[in-house]
Amino acid sequence: MKKKKKYKKSSLSILSLAGVNSYKKKKNEKYMNANQIKHFTKILETWKEQLNKNKKNIYHVSKKSSNFPDPIDRAVQEEEFNLELLNQDRENKLIKKIENTLKKIQEKEFGYCSSCGVKIGIKRLEARPTAHLCIDCKTLEEIREKQMLG
């Protein structure tokens, strides 16, 4: 008889950051009940809090810059600053997505596909709490994007 391997959860996992385990659905449990909503609210709020805590003030980042006489050192510093700006922009967009998702929770629209209305599913939402499309609609969206680009 084979033993199931237990995989260690990554410390970078959203669930780990929120300090919660994967949701264990109970028999005959209603989808998006109060316990599930509480579970996802905690995940989203902790994630948002973590992103806000890691934010750096752009003024602070630019102030620590030096005027290097060597053009290569200056180019490296400018590239690091550009990467910092890019990361901060991504985090700001993610914070807005999280806020929109929290708003969907308040409006009782969380957990359902915004395109076709079917249940997105607990596992998918744990992997991507800001998901607003079911896997089928997301796949179709990605196919359309590829067709538009290529």
Side-chain angles (χ1 to χ4, degrees):
M1 189 166 149
K2 277 187 173 180
K3 285 185 177 181
K4 275 191 174 180
K5 284 186 179 179
K6 286 192 176 183
Y7 293 99
K8 187 179 175 189
K9 205 185 299 181
S10 168
S11 62
L12 298 176
S13 160
I14 297 167
L15 299 176
S16 293
L17 287 174
V20 297
N21 292 319
S22 187
Y23 189 83
K24 304 286 186 235
K25 192 174 177 196
K26 293 157 189 78
K27 193 175 180 179
N28 298 326
E29 184 178 30
K30 186 181 171 199
Y31 184 69
M32 284 302 128
N33 63 39
N35 289 333
Q36 292 172 3
I37 293 295
K38 190 172 147 183
H39 175 75
F40 286 108
T41 301
K42 182 176 182 180
I43 291 169
L44 289 161
E45 286 176 347
T46 305
W47 194 13
K48 180 181 167 187
E49 190 179 294
Q50 187 75 28
L51 288 169
N52 280 324
K53 192 173 18 173
N54 291 340
K55 263 188 180 180
K56 291 180 183 158
N57 189 339
I58 292 298
Y59 177 74
H60 173 70
V61 173
S62 65
K63 193 169 181 152
K64 73 176 185 180
S65 66
S66 304
N67 194 1
F68 293 108
D70 183 21
I72 294 174
D73 290 340
R74 199 171 354 172
V76 167
Q77 182 187 37
E78 287 176 16
E79 188 62 27
E80 287 173 353
F81 182 66
N82 286 335
L83 284 173
E84 186 65 40
L85 284 174
L86 184 64
N87 284 337
Q88 192 163 7
D89 185 51
R90 284 184 185 147
E91 287 179 358
N92 286 338
K93 287 177 182 175
L94 183 53
I95 288 169
K96 283 185 180 154
K97 273 186 171 182
I98 292 169
E99 288 171 348
N100 287 338
T101 305
L102 288 167
K103 198 158 107 179
K104 285 180 94 172
I105 288 174
Q106 290 175 342
E107 296 167 353
K108 296 184 182 1
E109 295 175 5
F110 177 74
Y112 297 92
C113 180
S114 60
S115 180
C116 68
V118 302
K119 298 172 184 175
I120 293 175
I122 301 293
K123 295 292 180 198
R124 175 160 164 71
L125 289 170
E126 283 184 333
R128 177 153 312 270
T130 57
H132 63 97
L133 295 174
C134 68
I135 198 71
D136 293 335
C137 290
K138 183 64 177 171
T139 303
L140 287 172
E141 181 185 81
E142 288 173 358
I143 291 169
R144 279 189 216 110
E145 285 175 5
K146 283 181 185 176
Q147 289 175 342
M148 298 298 257
L149 294 175

